[in-house]
Amino acid sequence: MAVARYWRQQEQRYSLAGSKCAICNGSFFPKRTICPTCHRRSIGKMEKFLFSGKGKVVTYTIVHDPIISYADQSPYVLAVIALEEGDLVLGQIVDCDPRIVDIDLDVEMVFRRLSAEGASGTIQYGFKFRLMDVGSS
Amino acid sequence: MKAGIVSYGIYIPRYRITPASIGAVWGQDGNSMGKALGIESKSVPAPDEDAATIAVESARRMLRRVRVDPSRIGAIFVGSESHPYAVKPTATIVGEAIGATPVMTAADFEFACKAGTAAIQACLGLVHMDDNVMPMDYALAIGSDTSQGAPGNALEYSASAGGVSFLIGKDDVIAKIDHSISITTDTPDFWRREGMKYPSHAERFTGVPAYFKHVEMCASKVMENMGTKPGDYDYAVFHQPNGKFPVNVARKLGFTSEKIAPGLWTPRIGNTYSASMMMGLAGILDVAKPNDLILGVSYGSGAGSDGFHIEITDAIEDFNRSASPLVADEAGLGMDIDYATYLKFRKKIKMEGE
Ligand SMILES: [Zn+2]
């Protein structure tokens, strides 16, 4: 059931919670139980890690043909973000004219509505991104 | 040590709409309407923002300014008239998002535009409580709203969105809350029945017997209890349903316009409801210096006012204000949208399958 699935991913979505390897200091999102560099040596040495939410745009696309629940946000930007502490994450970039988004721009995490199960179901919240120092018209 | 504000954070959505854009659609002179209300523009939440997301952003920004482990926050109260759920507390979402759960209490508050300041009072009570009864290092009071006026209604020019978080505690207090008193009566000036989308108000009933009566009585009561007069305060902030009421009530009470200027934000961003007076207070904390005295009075329809006598401490000198945006920073960032986009963002257009 969707409610339970979202609830299990809540910390990951709310706070960009991933893992850090105590051996090589690598940070990973989402959570991992084994470090891809240290392999078996990292078992039991992976710690919870909260990313700051700061990062840079690696690549992006502008979605003009959204699913119906995102129609009110169309056109919107989906981007691959390189998090400051390492690893990549896919996220929406909000609060801007999509035409100003570019590779290498700095972004910060924001807390937004991701989806809702109709008008009577639960609301899912989590991270999206916003360009830093942009917003003056 | 007296309890007070340990840290604060604010959030204002990026989008703005002007009275001219609203008036143009309804055949009203928006510019004159804006002038009459003292509003140049109002904030509009993005389609994926609500009172919970705004509350979380303001709380995260509050935490960035201090070294407080969020697990030491023992209570979170969120005041709003636009909680995203009718049943399921906004405060639980905030608690989880800032890492304060699970050992904490939480509740959502409602009292029109003063639910956030009622939360401040509840937090004050909890941090002052004997630790053997209920241990409480810090308590978090939030005012957050994405308020709506019915299309074409005068309220549509002012009802906006924003959120403010105040961390209340007894250690490293930057603003001591030395006194608080409230005025409450049963006054039907503004209401919204369960299940209704837009509020109703009793046209000419909202000014004198509602806003002015409660705010003036509350401000006078604070000064009477503290033995102070308007001249003793460096700043004053009053609830701001529009840009005119707070200016008029300040003048009637004897506060100069300089004293209310740093806390007057409705002209730029509209009435952020539960966040309105708290946003003004945050704007004053952005510029205040040690020993400054502040008088703050909120107002909530229905009706009541919460008054606060606040003194800035030396701790504000070392307070990391610049770790998060000031009210002036955030109010100055804005992207104007037209009325059609506004309707889309505020979900006033029926979509396929709805
Ligand atoms: Zn490793």
Side-chain angles (χ1 to χ4, degrees):
Chain A
M1 183 188 171
V3 173
R5 180 163 54 84
Y6 275 108
W7 181 71
R8 277 194 302 272
Q9 295 177 347
Q10 210 159 261
E11 190 178 35
Q12 173 187 323
R13 290 175 189 270
Y14 278 19
S15 308
L16 268 176
S19 308
K20 195 178 192 92
C21 169
I23 299 173
C24 72
N25 266 328
S27 332
F28 309 98
F29 185 88
K31 234 179 257 179
R32 284 171 175 267
T33 44
I34 296 180
C35 172
T37 311
C38 308
H39 305 290
R40 278 173 54 198
R41 286 189 298 141
S42 68
I43 294 173
K45 300 240 161 61
M46 300 297 283
E47 294 156 2
K48 183 174 100 180
F49 179 71
L50 298 183
F51 287 82
S52 68
K54 293 201 160 60
K56 273 187 193 304
V57 177
V58 175
T59 185
Y60 67 96
T61 183
I62 301 174
V63 180
H64 288 275
D65 190 14
I67 52 169
I68 185 70
S69 60
Y70 271 62
D72 54 5
Q73 299 179 53
S74 174
Y76 64 89
V77 182
L78 263 186
V80 174
I81 306 296
L83 297 169
E84 204 171 69
E85 303 88 345
D87 219 344
L88 301 172
V89 61
L90 183 69
Q92 187 184 343
I93 298 181
V94 297
D95 289 358
C96 70
D97 180 338
R99 289 170 298 190
I100 67 167
V101 174
D102 209 348
I103 289 164
D104 268 351
L105 287 182
D106 291 318
V107 295
E108 60 181 341
M109 165 179 69
V110 289
F111 187 82
R112 295 294 171 101
R113 261 183 199 225
L114 301 177
S115 56
E117 309 277 300
S120 61
T122 58
I123 305 165
Q124 285 80 43
Y125 294 96
F127 65 83
K128 291 187 181 182
F129 294 90
R130 184 151 94 167
L131 298 177
M132 302 274 284
D133 316 312
V134 175
S136 327
S137 50
Chain B
M1 176 71 188
K2 276 218 168 123
I5 298 164
V6 176
S7 183
Y8 66 100
I10 63 114
Y11 179 85
I12 304 166
R14 283 287 164 88
Y15 298 99
R16 304 281 183 275
I17 191 165
T18 61
S21 303
I22 297 171
V25 175
W26 300 109
Q28 295 162 352
D29 181 351
N31 280 322
S32 321
M33 195 71 178
K35 281 204 181 75
L37 291 167
I39 288 176
E40 299 154 28
S41 66
K42 69 163 191 171
S43 64
V44 179
D48 56 355
E49 292 187 294
D50 61 26
T53 66
I54 289 171
V56 168
E57 287 294 337
S58 73
R60 285 182 171 168
R61 288 167 170 201
M62 174 281 290
L63 281 169
R64 255 181 252 155
R65 287 176 159 155
V66 280
R67 274 190 221 126
V68 168
D69 181 346
S71 67
R72 292 179 67 199
I73 297 172
I76 299 179
F77 301 129
V78 182
S80 180
E81 62 114 58
S82 47
H83 291 291
Y85 288 96
V87 177
K88 164 112 186 56
T90 306
T92 58
I93 300 167
V94 177
E96 199 75 37
I98 65 169
T101 51
V103 186
M104 53 166 261
T105 183
D108 286 356
F109 283 22
E110 287 183 19
F111 196 145
C113 296
K114 81 161 196 81
T117 57
I120 295 176
Q121 292 178 324
C123 289
L124 276 176
L126 287 179
V127 299
H128 274 300
M129 199 171 4
D130 182 344
D131 273 355
N132 293 315
V133 179
M134 189 168 184
M136 187 71 56
D137 293 338
Y138 300 101
L140 173 55
I142 302 176
S144 175
D145 258 310
T146 56
S147 52
Q148 302 219 43
N153 189 284
L155 274 176
E156 195 175 29
Y157 290 91
S158 59
S160 72
V164 182
S165 283
F166 283 122
L167 186 67
I168 306 297
K170 284 194 280 193
D171 299 326
D172 301 317
V173 168
I174 58 167
K176 271 190 303 159
I177 301 178
D178 287 324
H179 191 70
S180 181
I181 192 95
S182 297
I183 302 294
T184 304
T185 69
D186 181 351
T187 307
D189 58 328
F190 174 99
W191 61 90
R192 180 166 63 84
R193 292 275 298 276
E194 187 72 45
M196 297 303 287
K197 192 165 180 179
Y198 304 114
S200 309
H201 51 112
E203 293 295 339
R204 307 201 182 287
F205 196 34
T206 56
V208 174
Y211 179 87
F212 289 95
K213 176 182 146 184
H214 292 81
V215 172
E216 284 169 38
M217 199 189 281
C218 192
S220 304
K221 199 80 194 156
V222 172
M223 291 189 276
E224 181 191 322
N225 291 358
M226 293 303 290
T228 49
K229 34 188 207 313
D232 297 329
Y233 293 93
D234 299 282
Y235 301 102
V237 56
F238 305 101
H239 172 56
Q240 298 160 27
N242 52 53
K244 289 290 170 69
F245 279 19
V247 175
N248 294 344
V249 84
R251 192 181 304 133
K252 283 178 83 174
L253 284 162
F255 289 93
T256 62
S257 52
E258 292 77 45
K259 289 186 180 181
I260 61 164
L264 191 60
W265 290 102
T266 284
R268 301 279 298 282
I269 60 170
N271 177 12
T272 55
Y273 278 55
S274 296
S276 169
M277 177 274 196
M278 294 168 75
M279 191 71 75
L281 183 52
I284 291 170
L285 294 178
D286 283 346
V287 297
K289 295 185 177 61
N291 304 317
D292 279 349
L293 282 188
I294 305 164
L295 176 76
V297 182
S298 63
Y299 174 74
S301 293
S305 277
D306 301 325
F308 301 89
H309 173 106
I310 298 167
E311 185 180 352
I312 305 296
T313 74
D314 292 340
I316 203 151
E317 307 257 36
D318 299 320
F319 181 69
N320 193 5
R321 266 185 194 126
S322 60
S324 290
L326 306 180
V327 182
D329 299 335
E330 195 84 335
L333 292 173
M335 295 182 278
D336 280 338
I337 55 172
D338 57 21
Y339 195 79
T341 307
Y342 169 77
L343 288 183
K344 186 174 80 164
F345 280 13
R346 299 307 279 131
K347 305 185 192 337
K348 292 172 201 272
I349 300 174
K350 269 221 177 295
M351 302 296 289
E352 195 181 333
E354 281 184 358

